[in-house]
Amino acid sequence: MARRVADVDALEDGTTALWEAVLSDRPDNARALEAAGADPWRPLIGGWSPGRLSLAGPTPDLFVMPEGERGLSEAERTAAQEGRRLVAALGGIHYEGTGLACVTGINAEEAVRRLEATPARGEELEELIEDPYAYDPDESLRVVGVTTVPGGCVVTQPWGYAPQMPGVLTRLSAGTVCYGLYANPKSGNQGSIVQNGGIEGWDLHPGGAPDPDGTPGEVLASYLYRHNAVAYACAFAELRLTDARAVVGPPDIWVELPQRDYWEH
């Protein structure tokens, strides 16, 4: 098919077939397209070419780099290495329906203080964790888990969106930054960026394809954490999780949020 088209590097939404092959980890398709005349070193989204992007992936020797072509910078190589480590550390977790707040630079104790939350214990907590959907949402959404991780902390709710509510994120982000995620079973992953109490991004799509207007760093992150919204959220907040416990539980501590309108901020 690649040899029969008029232009093997035809653009659609700013990318070529070769770009999509690299992004989708289809090296055989990429080789077939290159053999048909596709250019691996043509700059596309965020200034990345398919060839340079492949250097950060699982097949860095996919294309022969021409003399004078720019490879990965030291920072990009470090990001790629951390991306592979983080994805492996999280493993193949099931996170549909989970809400997260990934917060830079504070521990679980400080997060609990900022949220003015109180420890949740006892038989009722055990029953809630066993079957959260048997409870009224007004009750179940107020219970979240908080865990200290390298680089900061994670607030998790495996059954709901509470950690991503604006009133939670703005309180957690005082003097720092956090990335909120709700893996909505109905509409897909929804992300948000909040810094020092101000919402800077909402209804984002972590784990999805690179944005056509994305910066070089955003394009690289989208490639490294494709189809892995949790890893994307953790990486954005510079959290270096060593396993998935902070996401799927059990957390360091279960707490109950005080009664308030968390959609006002």
Side-chain angles (χ1 to χ4, degrees):
M1 281 182 69
R3 289 193 296 270
R4 294 174 66 87
V5 299
D7 182 3
V8 74
D9 270 335
L11 292 174
E12 181 174 353
D13 298 326
T15 66
T16 63
L18 183 57
W19 172 278
E20 297 299 330
V22 170
L23 193 70
S24 302
D25 289 336
R26 299 296 296 270
D28 289 345
N29 288 14
R31 293 186 183 98
L33 287 160
E34 183 189 26
D39 181 5
W41 306 101
R42 176 180 179 176
L44 296 168
I45 297 179
W48 287 88
S49 66
R52 204 164 82 82
L53 194 65
S54 72
L55 299 175
T59 53
D61 57 349
L62 182 58
F63 307 109
V64 176
M65 185 186 300
E67 186 176 347
E69 183 64 44
R70 181 166 63 100
L72 298 181
S73 68
E74 185 62 33
E76 289 164 347
R77 280 194 295 273
T78 299
Q81 290 170 357
E82 171 59 15
R84 289 190 288 272
R85 188 207 64 79
L86 179 57
V87 169
L90 289 171
I93 58 173
H94 175 80
Y95 58 86
E96 187 176 83
T98 297
L100 291 179
C102 300
V103 194
T104 306
I106 66 170
N107 60 19
E109 183 179 5
E110 173 62 14
V112 172
R113 187 194 68 79
R114 292 184 180 195
L115 294 172
E116 300 177 320
T118 55
R121 302 187 181 94
E123 185 177 333
E124 186 172 356
L125 173 62
E126 294 176 6
E127 292 176 355
L128 171 63
I129 295 170
E130 182 69 26
D131 188 8
Y133 303 107
Y135 282 72
D136 186 290
D138 289 340
E139 297 179 60
S140 64
L141 287 175
R142 289 176 58 196
V143 176
V144 298
V146 191
T147 303
T148 299
V149 299
C153 72
V154 174
V155 180
T156 185
Q157 189 175 70
W159 57 80
Y161 53 76
Q164 205 213 0
M165 293 188 297
V168 172
L169 295 174
T170 52
R171 286 173 171 82
L172 289 171
S173 68
T176 187
V177 63
C178 55
Y179 196 99
L181 166 68
Y182 177 47
N184 193 326
K186 295 182 179 179
S187 58
N189 300 314
Q190 300 167 341
S192 53
I193 300 169
V194 180
Q195 183 164 353
N196 199 25
I199 296 176
E200 298 191 350
W202 194 260
D203 199 23
L204 307 175
H205 303 286
D211 191 304
D213 298 319
T215 66
E218 290 169 343
V219 172
L220 177 59
S222 293
Y223 177 55
L224 296 175
Y225 303 110
R226 53 206 181 279
H227 313 306
N228 197 326
V230 169
Y232 186 100
C234 293
F236 186 95
E238 299 183 353
L239 305 185
R240 301 177 298 279
L241 278 68
T242 57
D243 56 37
R245 182 177 66 85
V247 178
V248 298
D252 288 352
I253 184 172
W254 289 106
V255 297
E256 185 173 352
L257 302 173
Q259 189 78 45
R260 55 165 61 108
D261 185 354
Y262 289 96
W263 293 102
E264 289 290 330
H265 61 280

